[in-house]
Amino acid sequence: MNKKKCMVKVISAVSAVALTLMLPGGFSGVRKVSAASVSDLEQQVKELEREQQELKNKAAEYSKDLDKQQEAKEALEDQIANVRSQISLLSQQETAINNQIAEMNATIQQKEQEIVEKQAQIDESFTLLQQRLRAIFKSGNMSGLQMLLDTDEYADYLIKSKMMERISENDQELMDGLEAEMQQINAEKEQVVAQKAEVEQQEQEIAALKAQADEKKNEMDSLYSQVNAVVKQLQSDISYTEQQLKEKKAQEEALNQQIADLINSTESTGKYGGGTMFWPVPAVQNISSGFGPRWGTMHRGIDISEGAVPVYGQNVVAAADGVVIYANKTNTWGGGYGYHVIIDHGLDDQGRKISTLYAHNSQVLVNVGDKVVGGQTVISKAGDTGDVTGPHLHFEVRVDGVAVDPVKNGYIKG
């Protein structure tokens, strides 16, 4: 082996040893999200799809018989609940895979950073090694003849000769060991490459899951349309009585008063800055129902839905800076508002208390007392809880507890 090859081999081998010591066990410490859990979620989705098909058949059978319209409506509503569960499971799958990707990326990034840092140490060590080798070369290679000429006593020559043999043996053992360690570090680098490829594959899986979830959300909208058509038919056959309408209005008035009392009984320490608020559902810009009288009752806000993107599961953000004063995340009916959130935004320049309400969510992500940032804090996910005819976000602006038209009063742009 010539000097150049020896030097290269030493450099590579020293790097290998240092990196191996730095990365004990290679990548064996990377914890992956259990594949079994994702597989189990997939199996649950398949089972729900099978049940959904049975419900479709039942609804189709009932729809042929006018006397069974109520049963048809119930079968459609069961399908909606089924699809809602499928969307939830798909979301859980997406979250599980995203967590796995984040963990793998963090591990890869950490190891690559450690390699960079250790390489700097290796370079410094190699510089010292070069200096040592130059010193040996300058002093000669200590051949047997040179040692004999430079030694006065034969015993001294034997000692020096034996020392050189041991140095040579140790160097060879070191070289062999370093070469083996180099092979190991190369294998670990290949693992990094393989993990990066796996991350890319899982990102493709997430894209497919999102597409599947969007398809289910569109399917949910279609089912609600079918339910509403059946309800209209039932209303024409059965007709709502005046008493039923009075009861519904009474319930709405009672809830409205409870909300107003809650807002007015909560001390407001902040200051509302005025101007236009942030749109509460960034992904969906369409207003499907405005503020004002509707179906014999008063609609105290606007409904956001029926855009190009399905509204179900979309992020709902705080319309302005403020503090959460109410968060219903357990009662799916919620007085008709389902899961809903109320935020206090403080007093405006006229000393009036400004607050907003977000209703019919599938999830509420904040708690009472949480401070929120307008347009940034995700407070909930849009849904279909409470008294609804389809997924949407019901959004209200209240001034001193009284609901006002958020568009006409300039709080948001319609």
Side-chain angles (χ1 to χ4, degrees):
M1 181 183 294
N2 59 35
K3 291 181 181 179
K4 186 175 182 180
K5 281 188 176 181
C6 179
M7 290 285 285
V8 171
K9 206 169 183 183
V10 168
I11 297 169
S12 300
V14 170
S15 300
V17 167
L19 287 172
T20 302
L21 292 173
M22 176 189 67
L23 306 174
F27 280 83
S28 60
V30 178
R31 184 181 62 82
K32 296 178 68 176
V33 173
S34 172
S37 64
V38 175
S39 175
D40 183 54
L41 290 170
E42 291 174 350
Q43 187 59 41
Q44 291 180 53
V45 171
K46 289 179 181 178
E47 180 63 22
L48 285 172
E49 288 176 342
R50 184 191 63 76
E51 292 177 4
Q52 183 186 359
Q53 186 58 50
E54 293 178 0
L55 290 168
K56 283 182 180 179
N57 296 338
K58 185 185 293 186
E61 179 184 347
Y62 289 147
S63 64
K64 297 174 184 177
D65 188 344
L66 289 177
D67 295 333
K68 294 186 176 180
Q69 289 300 297
Q70 183 62 38
E71 288 88 343
K73 174 177 173 290
E74 291 172 359
L76 288 168
E77 289 173 340
D78 287 343
Q79 283 191 66
I80 289 171
N82 179 291
V83 172
R84 188 185 299 119
S85 296
Q86 291 185 52
I87 292 171
S88 176
L89 288 172
L90 290 169
S91 177
Q92 290 177 50
Q93 283 182 253
E94 182 182 337
T95 299
I97 295 175
N98 267 325
N99 289 341
Q100 179 170 315
I101 288 174
E103 186 174 347
M104 291 176 68
N105 279 333
T107 302
I108 290 170
Q109 183 178 3
Q110 178 185 350
K111 295 306 178 185
E112 288 180 335
Q113 181 61 33
E114 288 174 354
I115 287 172
V116 170
E117 293 172 357
K118 196 62 184 179
Q119 188 62 56
Q121 298 176 19
I122 291 168
D123 291 342
E124 183 179 351
S125 298
F126 177 63
T127 300
L128 296 175
L129 177 61
Q130 283 180 311
Q131 294 173 356
R132 174 175 169 272
L133 292 175
R134 287 194 190 100
I136 292 174
F137 294 152
K138 285 180 181 179
S139 63
N141 62 5
M142 292 296 287
S143 65
L145 178 59
Q146 183 178 349
M147 280 192 294
L148 184 61
L149 294 174
D150 292 345
T151 303
D152 295 331
E153 299 290 337
Y154 183 65
D156 187 28
Y157 165 75
L158 290 177
I159 293 171
K160 288 183 178 180
S161 176
K162 195 64 177 177
M163 287 176 60
M164 288 303 298
E165 286 179 11
R166 289 190 176 181
I167 291 172
S168 177
E169 289 173 2
N170 291 338
D171 285 344
Q172 186 60 51
E173 289 176 2
L174 176 62
M175 293 295 292
D176 292 341
L178 292 175
E179 189 170 357
E181 300 293 354
M182 191 63 197
Q183 291 175 355
Q184 180 180 345
I185 198 64
N186 285 337
E188 290 174 351
K189 287 180 179 179
E190 289 176 3
Q191 290 179 22
V192 173
V193 174
Q195 284 191 321
K196 287 183 177 180
E198 185 178 348
V199 166
E200 291 180 3
Q201 181 181 352
Q202 290 181 341
E203 287 173 344
Q204 293 174 3
E205 290 178 11
I206 285 180
L209 285 171
K210 286 182 177 178
Q212 189 177 355
D214 285 344
E215 183 181 341
K216 293 295 179 184
K217 291 170 186 177
N218 286 324
E219 189 174 348
M220 179 183 286
D221 288 339
S222 175
L223 287 167
Y224 266 110
S225 296
Q226 294 177 54
V227 169
N228 294 333
V230 173
V231 168
K232 285 183 179 179
Q233 191 167 4
L234 286 168
Q235 288 175 353
S236 65
D237 292 341
I238 304 170
S239 184
Y240 281 129
T241 64
E242 288 293 326
Q243 183 60 34
Q244 287 175 319
L245 184 57
K246 285 181 181 179
E247 288 178 0
K248 184 172 182 180
K249 290 177 73 172
Q251 289 173 356
E252 289 185 356
E253 289 299 332
L255 177 62
N256 178 58
Q257 189 60 50
Q258 288 174 11
I259 292 171
D261 290 344
L262 171 67
I263 291 172
N264 291 325
S265 65
T266 304
E267 182 180 1
S268 184
T269 57
K271 183 171 181 58
Y272 176 64
T276 304
M277 293 181 174
F278 291 94
W279 188 259
V281 189
V284 182
Q285 301 290 320
N286 186 62
I287 296 177
S288 57
S289 184
F291 181 93
R294 184 184 69 171
W295 307 331
T297 60
M298 182 63 182
H299 189 228
R300 293 182 169 83
I302 61 170
D303 291 345
I304 300 172
S305 67
E306 299 177 3
V309 177
V311 72
Y312 189 94
Q314 295 296 338
N315 287 342
V316 177
V317 298
D321 295 354
V323 178
V324 177
I325 60 173
Y326 186 78
N328 170 38
K329 56 174 67 178
T330 58
N331 184 347
T332 56
W333 178 245
Y337 275 1
Y339 295 152
H340 59 285
V341 178
I342 302 176
I343 299 174
D344 171 48
H345 301 292
L347 305 178
D348 65 8
D349 55 7
Q350 299 179 47
R352 301 177 303 177
K353 185 179 292 186
I354 307 300
S355 54
T356 51
L357 182 148
Y358 313 74
H360 307 310
N361 299 283
S362 59
Q363 285 181 277
V364 169
L365 306 175
V366 291
N367 298 299
V368 172
D370 287 353
K371 292 183 178 180
V372 296
V373 179
Q376 295 184 29
T377 305
V378 178
I379 61 172
S380 62
K381 300 281 187 177
D384 64 342
T385 54
D387 187 7
V388 298
T389 58
H392 68 279
L393 176 76
H394 174 83
F395 173 73
E396 295 182 7
V397 174
R398 291 185 175 242
V399 178
D400 286 336
V402 178
V404 300
D405 190 329
V407 177
K408 287 186 178 180
N409 286 276
Y411 288 101
I412 60 171
K413 292 182 179 179

